[in-house]
Amino acid sequence: MRPAANRGGSRDAEGCRLEKNRHMKTLRLLVDANDPESRASRQSIRRAAEILRTGGTVAFPTETVYGLGANALNAAAVGKIFAAKERPAWDPLIVHIGEAKKVREVVAELPENARRLMDVFWPGPLTLLLPKSAEVPHIVTAGLPRVGVRMPAHPVALALLRAAEVAVAAPSANTFGRTSPTRADHVAEDLDGRIDAIVDGGETTHGVESTVVGVGAKGCVIYRPGVISLEQIRAVCVGEVTARGNGDEAEEQPGGAASPGMSLRHYAPRARLVLIDGDGEEQKAAFGEAARECEEAGEALGLMLPDAFQTAVIGRRARVFRWGNWMDEEELAQRMFAGLRWLDAGGATAIVCPVPPGRGIAVAIRDRLRKAARR
Ligand code: TXA
Ligand code: MG
């Protein structure tokens, strides 16, 4: 591994670009996720819903990450999402609904596998790709014949979607290509002054995005690994379930045109991300070695440090994010994006991060880390 030189120059240039176009007043609307029915919470939800109904943009918490929403059936409103995020027009958006029966408004058909998956996993972190209805504007699906749709489980997201009474297109609420937001402050870092409002409902539950599944009559294809695992989907679907374009298999089988946003650099911190694969003592030793090399090369070192890896980096000068229990992949997922953002904010130029082996949500963690580390 050869650490790269400090990239301070390009960081500054990018910072300047992102500071431009922050010319709106972004409202901050507080909602207590544990008490979305309180008077203050209901007031915030009502205000946010009104903004969505009248064609504005609102960031809100879901159980995965914060989303940036707009009325999915209003092409001009959806256009504001692309502008605020600087998202290319070829990358389609997921449509969020507050009631399962609303799926009929946005899809043209509902195959048996879709019904099965909805029954088991909705509301929840599962996005289904289904033939779009004529009502869904082309801007939402980037001209593709299928629309991504999901019913989130987060109480604040559900309250907002129900109050808004419209389907809401919402990508993650970050600048395109950057680390996804799991707190309202993360959203503000990227989008303050560019969107109408942020509903602040605290930290998100899972910390990585929904599983994206293309649903067909003969089987299903997982385009993005997420909170719901391949094994869970296999247990419910009829026919074959295959995975494509995830961090483990991407190089052999890129997501390709079927799901455009998934094969690129994504979720990326500003710092260079140095990933350490393997397992057991060997992985710990490699982690310590990479940290030493970065420090010797004069990098401002940031560490994603699981408890089990502490002894490997004793004596290193580094900004350290205590990632959590290496055996608890749910916790690692929940804290991953927050950790990358925190190390970035502290000025790290290189972040050394071990990659969790294992199945289930670990597959989603690896997918995000590998895409974040691409150059
Ligand atoms: O958990 C999540 O899914 C979060 C929360 C906010 O719901 N949303 C999210 O959206 O992660 P986004 O835009 O950051 O990632 C969605 C990905 C896109 O990159 C795109 O490639 C894929 O899902 N996608 C969306 N609609 C699609 C479609 N019609 N066909 C193929 N792929 C689609
Ligand atoms: Mg995203």
Side-chain angles (χ1 to χ4, degrees):
M1 186 205 69
R2 200 166 51 85
N6 187 331
R7 298 178 304 111
S10 64
R11 270 176 79 137
D12 289 349
E14 182 176 23
C16 282
R17 186 173 59 77
L18 290 176
E19 285 318 308
K20 280 199 294 188
N21 301 325
R22 290 188 186 263
H23 45 62
M24 298 165 72
K25 168 94 188 94
T26 301
L27 277 178
R28 186 84 160 227
L29 300 166
L30 286 177
V31 177
D32 182 349
N34 296 315
D35 192 8
E37 289 299 317
S38 74
R39 229 185 106 162
S41 294
R42 277 192 291 135
Q43 218 166 19
S44 293
I45 297 278
R46 252 202 314 273
R47 183 80 185 89
E50 185 186 311
I51 295 172
L52 287 173
R53 264 199 311 275
T54 53
T57 46
V58 176
F60 60 97
T62 80
E63 73 277 33
T64 58
V65 300
Y66 272 74
L68 173 60
N71 180 350
L73 303 188
N74 176 338
V78 173
K80 294 178 189 172
I81 295 177
F82 284 89
K85 282 190 55 129
E86 301 186 8
R87 182 177 176 112
W90 48 256
D91 198 4
L93 308 181
I94 295 170
V95 174
H96 297 66
I97 52 178
E99 286 172 280
K101 66 175 192 241
K102 257 193 179 299
V103 75
R104 299 273 178 194
E105 291 175 21
V106 294
V107 312
E109 45 180 288
L110 214 51
E112 166 69 12
N113 272 335
R115 280 195 294 266
R116 285 168 173 250
L117 290 166
M118 285 167 58
D119 276 352
V120 176
F121 297 115
W122 279 10
L126 180 70
T127 296
L128 303 177
L129 301 181
L130 294 163
K132 80 183 235 356
S133 73
E135 282 73 42
V136 177
H138 292 293
I139 185 172
V140 172
T141 60
L144 293 169
R146 292 196 292 188
V147 62
V149 56
R150 90 171 181 104
M151 178 182 178
H154 194 286
V156 176
L158 282 176
L160 177 61
L161 291 166
R162 286 168 184 166
E165 293 178 339
V166 293
V168 171
S172 52
N174 49 277
T175 321
F176 182 70
R178 290 267 166 240
T179 313
S180 305
T182 56
R183 291 207 303 258
D185 283 342
H186 300 160
V187 179
E189 260 168 39
D190 284 16
L191 300 176
D192 193 42
R194 296 168 156 234
I195 61 179
D196 291 304
I198 302 172
V199 175
D200 182 348
E203 265 189 314
T204 62
T205 321
H206 298 295
V208 294
E209 295 84 348
S210 63
T211 309
V212 175
V213 180
V215 184
K218 298 217 177 85
C220 294
V221 178
I222 300 180
Y223 290 101
R224 178 175 70 182
V227 178
I228 311 278
S229 68
L230 171 76
E231 293 79 12
Q232 284 175 290
I233 291 174
R234 277 207 177 125
V236 171
C237 279
V238 185
E240 214 192 349
V241 179
T242 53
R244 274 217 266 161
N246 73 45
D248 293 335
E249 288 139 75
E251 269 55 66
E252 296 80 54
Q253 297 177 300
S259 194
M262 295 182 180
S263 46
L264 292 174
R265 177 160 188 253
H266 233 99
Y267 318 106
R270 296 200 165 77
R272 191 168 62 89
L273 184 58
V274 179
L275 299 183
I276 309 298
D277 282 297
D279 54 26
E281 291 310 310
E282 219 170 88
Q283 190 179 21
K284 283 176 201 151
F287 180 75
E289 178 64 11
R292 186 184 61 77
E293 280 182 34
C294 285
E295 196 187 322
E296 283 176 9
E299 301 261 21
L301 175 62
L303 295 176
M304 290 290 282
L305 186 67
D307 297 346
F309 283 65
Q310 264 167 25
T311 49
V313 288
I314 288 169
R316 299 266 85 87
R317 262 182 300 117
R319 184 168 168 89
V320 172
F321 179 74
R322 307 293 298 257
W323 197 0
N325 179 354
W326 187 238
M327 294 297 128
D328 184 349
E329 285 147 351
E330 303 284 334
E331 181 181 27
L332 299 177
Q334 204 268 336
R335 294 168 58 73
M336 172 176 63
F337 286 137
L340 294 175
R341 275 191 183 259
W342 184 80
L343 292 171
D344 248 356
T349 57
I351 296 174
V352 181
C353 176
V355 179
R359 298 160 85 87
I361 205 166
V363 180
I365 296 176
R366 286 200 292 281
D367 169 75
R368 307 307 186 268
L369 288 175
R370 297 220 199 289
K371 285 170 185 163
R374 280 184 193 158
R375 288 281 136 195

